[in-house]
Amino acid sequence: MSISRHIEALYREESRRVLATLIRLLGDFDLAEEALQDAFAAAVTQWPVDGLPDNPRAWLISAGRFKAIDRLRRRARFDASLEELALRFEQATEMPDLDLSVEDDRLRLIFTCCHPALSEQARVALTLREVCDLTTEEIASAFLTPTPTVAQRIVRAKAKIRDAGIPYRVPEKSELAERLDSVLQVIYLVFNEGYFPSSGDAPTRADLSSEALRLGRLLLSLLPEPEVAGLLALMLLTEARRAARTDAAGDPVLLDDQDRTLWDRVLIAEGEKLVEQALRSRRFGPYSLQAAIAAVHAEAARPEDTDWEQIVGLYDVLLRAAPSPVVALNRAVAVAMRDGPEAGLALIDGLLADGGLDGYYLARAARADLCRRAGHIEEARAGYREALALCQQGAQRAFLEKRLAALDVESAAR
C-alpha cells in the first residue's frame, strides 16, 4: 500500500481516536479539530520523505499537539493572553503513554458530547459530528433541518461545554447510571430516526441506523455494562427486520405481514446472545427488556407462533421499570393480540382519555386498526383520519391512506 493510501485509511480508521485524545490534551473542540487537520496535512508532507512512523497514531497526536501550540503562539501576536495559554499547554500536555489512554479518551468524548446539560438536539448533533465524523450537511440532511441551524447547535454546544466547565471525563460510578442513560438515549434516538423517520418521505434511513449501531458497538467495547448490551441487542434485533419492513414499492409493511425469511438471522443471533447476557446480569433496564420483547418476536417463524403471553409479561415488567404512555400503548396492542381486539381497545381508550398520547399519531392508528379487526368500520375510518391529521412522515401517511381506502373496499364487499 502506498503512503498516501495508508494515510487515507488511517484517517478513516483512526481520526476520531486521535481527535478524542487531542480534545483531552487541549481542552478545546475547535482547537483540537484544527490540530487534527494540521497533523494529517503534516503526515501527507513528511511521511513520503521520512517513511511511515512506528506508531502513526502517536505521531499524529504529537504533531497535532505541537501544531496547536504553534497556532496559539502565532495568534498571540494579536492577543498576549494566548502566549500564556500556549505555554500552559506545552507544560501540561506531556504525553507519557498515548496508546494506553486513547480508548478512554473516546469514552470521555462520548460522555462529553452527551452531557445532560446540553439539549437533546445539541447532544445528537454534537455526537454525530465529533464521534461519528458526519459533516454538518449530512446531519442536517438526515434530520431534515437547515444546515445553519445544525451548525449553530454544534457551536452552542461546544460553547456550553467550555463556559459551563463541563468536565471531559468518564463519570464516577455514583453518577454513571444517570449519565449513561443520556448516552444511550442519544444513540437510540439516532437509530430510531434511521429506522422510523419522524418526517420526510423515505420510509427508512439506513445510514443513520448504521451510525447508531457503530456507536453502540463502540460503547459496548469501551464500557461493557448490561444496559449497553441491551441497547445494542435491541438495535440489532430491530435492524434485522429492515429488508422485510418495506415492500417492492417502498411502502411500510407491518410486523405481522413481513416475509420473515428476509430477516437477518446473523444479526438476530448476535442480538439474542447480547440480551441473554444482559438479563443474566440481573442489572438490566428498559433497553434490555425491549430487546427481550424483540427476541420473542424473532423466535416466531410465523406471526401465529408468537408467544404473546410472554410478550405481555415482559411489557408488565417494562411498564414498572420505565412507565410511559407509549410503553402502555404497546402493551395494550400485545394484550389485543393475546385476548382479542376489544380487550386492547378498552386499554387504549383509557390511555387516550388520560391525554398522555395527545398528538401521537401511532396511538390513533393502533386504535383504528383494532376497530377494524373488531368490525367497527366507521370508528376505524375516523381513527385513520385522526392519525393522518397528526402524521408528518410521507411513507407512513401513504400507508394510512391505503388502510383508509381498504376500509371502503371492505364496506362495499359487505
Side-chain angles (χ1 to χ4, degrees):
M1 182 186 295
S2 67
I3 293 290
S4 61
R5 289 279 183 86
H6 194 97
I7 293 173
E8 289 175 9
L10 198 64
Y11 187 88
R12 288 193 303 271
E13 297 166 8
E14 301 286 355
S15 63
R16 296 300 99 183
R17 291 183 175 92
V18 174
L19 177 65
T21 298
L22 287 172
I23 292 173
R24 171 174 62 83
L25 293 171
L26 302 171
D28 184 279
F29 277 84
D30 292 332
L31 186 60
E33 287 168 1
E34 292 173 346
L36 176 71
Q37 299 305 320
D38 287 344
F40 273 95
V44 169
T45 301
Q46 293 180 226
W47 291 4
V49 176
D50 300 338
L52 195 68
D54 293 335
N55 189 332
R57 186 194 298 167
W59 189 99
L60 289 163
I61 294 169
S62 178
R65 167 180 171 267
F66 284 117
K67 293 290 185 182
I69 292 170
D70 287 344
R71 274 182 179 270
L72 288 175
R73 284 184 170 151
R74 286 197 301 271
R75 294 173 187 171
R77 287 179 294 179
F78 307 99
D79 184 348
S81 65
L82 292 179
E83 177 65 36
E84 181 182 347
L85 184 60
L87 180 61
R88 189 161 72 246
F89 277 155
E90 191 168 17
Q91 293 172 341
T93 59
E94 299 299 327
M95 305 187 299
D97 194 343
L98 289 170
D99 283 342
L100 293 178
S101 67
V102 164
E103 296 306 332
D104 285 344
D105 286 337
R106 299 182 81 192
L107 193 55
R108 290 186 187 100
L109 180 57
I110 292 172
F111 273 98
T112 301
C113 290
C114 297
H115 196 282
L118 304 175
S119 71
E120 180 181 288
Q121 293 174 324
R123 279 182 272 151
V124 170
L126 192 61
T127 301
L128 289 175
R129 178 71 197 95
E130 303 301 333
V131 180
C132 298
D133 197 25
L134 268 65
T135 66
T136 306
E137 291 77 15
E138 286 171 333
I139 299 167
S141 175
F143 288 90
L144 301 176
T145 305
T147 298
T149 301
V150 173
Q152 277 299 310
R153 285 175 187 166
I154 294 172
V155 168
R156 288 170 182 163
K158 291 176 180 177
K160 174 83 171 182
I161 290 169
R162 181 187 65 244
D163 298 343
I166 291 175
Y168 180 71
R169 63 177 177 82
V170 179
E172 300 294 335
K173 284 189 176 181
S174 60
E175 57 180 351
L176 182 61
E178 176 189 1
R179 289 284 305 282
L180 180 59
D181 184 63
S182 178
V183 173
L184 298 180
Q185 182 187 48
V186 166
I187 295 173
Y188 196 41
L189 279 169
V190 174
F191 179 82
N192 271 338
E193 191 61 30
Y195 193 81
F196 199 81
S198 57
S199 56
D201 294 327
T204 65
R205 285 292 311 272
D207 53 342
L208 275 181
S209 296
S210 295
E211 285 300 329
L213 285 167
R214 188 160 73 90
L215 268 174
R217 293 184 192 281
L218 171 61
L219 185 62
L220 184 62
S221 71
L222 300 177
L223 190 67
E225 287 288 313
E227 194 64 343
V228 179
L231 173 61
L232 181 55
L234 174 59
M235 294 191 296
L236 288 167
L237 290 163
T238 305
E239 180 68 16
R241 303 196 295 262
R242 181 180 292 277
R245 193 170 172 270
T246 54
D247 60 20
D251 295 328
V253 179
L254 294 181
L255 182 62
D256 280 357
D257 299 324
Q258 290 177 8
D259 179 356
R260 300 187 177 210
T261 63
L262 297 176
W263 289 2
D264 189 324
R265 289 293 154 184
V266 174
L267 293 183
I268 288 173
E270 184 183 0
E272 287 176 336
K273 182 178 179 181
L274 286 170
V275 74
E276 287 169 6
Q277 292 172 353
L279 295 177
R280 279 200 305 268
S281 74
R282 301 291 182 182
R283 293 191 294 119
F284 56 84
Y287 293 112
S288 299
L289 289 167
Q290 292 176 74
I293 293 168
V296 175
H297 282 295
E299 291 168 358
R302 302 173 303 166
E304 55 267 34
D305 297 332
T306 304
D307 188 344
W308 289 107
E309 184 69 36
Q310 186 178 3
I311 288 175
V312 171
L314 286 167
Y315 271 121
D316 289 339
V317 179
L318 179 59
L319 200 54
R320 290 194 295 271
S324 79
V326 173
V327 172
L329 173 66
N330 291 336
R331 179 186 178 278
V333 173
V335 168
M337 298 303 294
R338 183 189 67 180
D339 301 335
E342 297 290 358
L345 279 171
L347 293 172
I348 290 178
D349 286 343
L351 292 170
L352 291 173
D354 288 341
L357 292 169
D358 288 349
Y360 189 57
Y361 85 90
L362 288 175
R364 300 293 175 177
R367 188 183 188 283
D369 189 59
L370 293 184
C371 285
R372 179 186 61 82
R373 289 173 51 202
H376 309 319
I377 302 303
E378 288 307 315
E379 282 190 73
R381 187 177 282 112
Y384 283 128
R385 285 174 178 153
E386 290 172 347
L388 272 166
L390 296 170
C391 182
Q392 302 298 316
Q393 211 279 329
Q396 294 300 319
R397 285 186 60 82
F399 175 81
L400 292 170
E401 287 166 353
K402 285 184 178 180
R403 279 293 168 111
L404 193 53
L407 286 180
D408 294 332
V409 175
E410 288 183 28
S411 297
R414 293 191 178 194

